Amino acid sequence: MLGNVIFGLLIPILIGGWILRRNVNILLAYYPLGVATSSCINSAGFNFFWNILPNTRNQSYAALPFDLGIYPIAGCLMMYMILIKNARSWPAIFITSLTLTLIEWLAKEMGRVIYFNDWNIYWTFFSYLLPLVVVYGYSKVFTLMYDVSEKNRK
């Protein structure tokens, strides 16, 4: 469990916090969405498709460091690249999904992640791609709402 906390929570929070220290609004806007989507997907996945070590009675407990760390921070960093660094959105989404999939593949190869019910690394890629597309769509809605509210103030 200590490895989950260090690699899934502490290191991503430190790296993400350092990169986003001047863009706290990105953290405030996208971090909660990342936690929510990660928790929902992991809750469903633990029941039907995968397991992570250490085994606990409630698998969500073992995934909590990841749900609070690497997954929401990856989404925030993706949005930072799109919004602040002007990266093209679809390549940023694809690269972020691919990076998270590679990290999970490494964990799977080390025996820390176990798949069952025909789940595989390809489905894992789509399980990262879909929430990141949702985060990007949320950013578009969020931007539209912000622009509309600014027009109503004038």
Side-chain angles (χ1 to χ4, degrees):
M1 187 68 180
L2 182 61
N4 291 6
V5 172
I6 291 171
F7 294 109
L9 180 66
L10 294 179
I11 292 173
I13 292 287
L14 291 174
I15 292 171
W18 182 73
I19 292 172
L20 298 169
R21 68 186 181 280
R22 293 189 182 114
N23 300 93
V24 177
N25 289 339
I26 290 176
L27 279 173
L28 292 174
Y30 299 105
Y31 184 85
L33 181 63
V35 171
T37 56
S38 175
S39 297
C40 289
I41 288 173
N42 273 335
S43 291
F46 288 134
N47 286 317
F48 301 109
F49 301 114
W50 62 81
N51 195 356
I52 64 171
L53 296 178
N55 284 322
T56 58
R57 283 187 187 183
N58 182 353
Q59 277 305 122
S60 295
Y61 176 70
L64 189 60
F66 301 104
D67 290 341
L68 296 176
I70 194 168
Y71 302 134
I73 291 296
C76 289
L77 291 174
M78 179 193 75
M79 291 311 301
Y80 171 77
M81 294 305 293
I82 292 170
L83 298 173
I84 306 301
K85 297 297 184 180
N86 297 318
R88 292 182 22 223
S89 56
W90 291 107
I93 292 168
F94 183 81
I95 289 169
T96 304
S97 300
L98 199 58
T99 303
L100 289 171
T101 303
L102 178 63
I103 292 168
E104 185 162 323
W105 178 78
L106 290 171
K108 183 178 177 340
E109 290 299 309
M110 293 172 20
R112 304 288 298 169
V113 176
I114 300 158
Y115 294 157
F116 50 90
N117 286 342
D118 295 327
W119 192 262
N120 57 46
I121 202 70
Y122 302 110
W123 286 115
T124 298
F125 174 78
F126 289 108
S127 77
Y128 290 127
L129 184 69
L130 179 63
L132 291 172
V133 169
V134 168
V135 168
Y136 179 67
Y138 173 80
S139 76
K140 289 300 185 188
V141 170
F142 195 73
T143 304
L144 179 65
M145 289 175 58
Y146 178 73
D147 290 343
V148 169
S149 64
E150 286 296 315
K151 291 175 185 176
N152 290 334
R153 289 185 194 163
K154 292 180 182 178

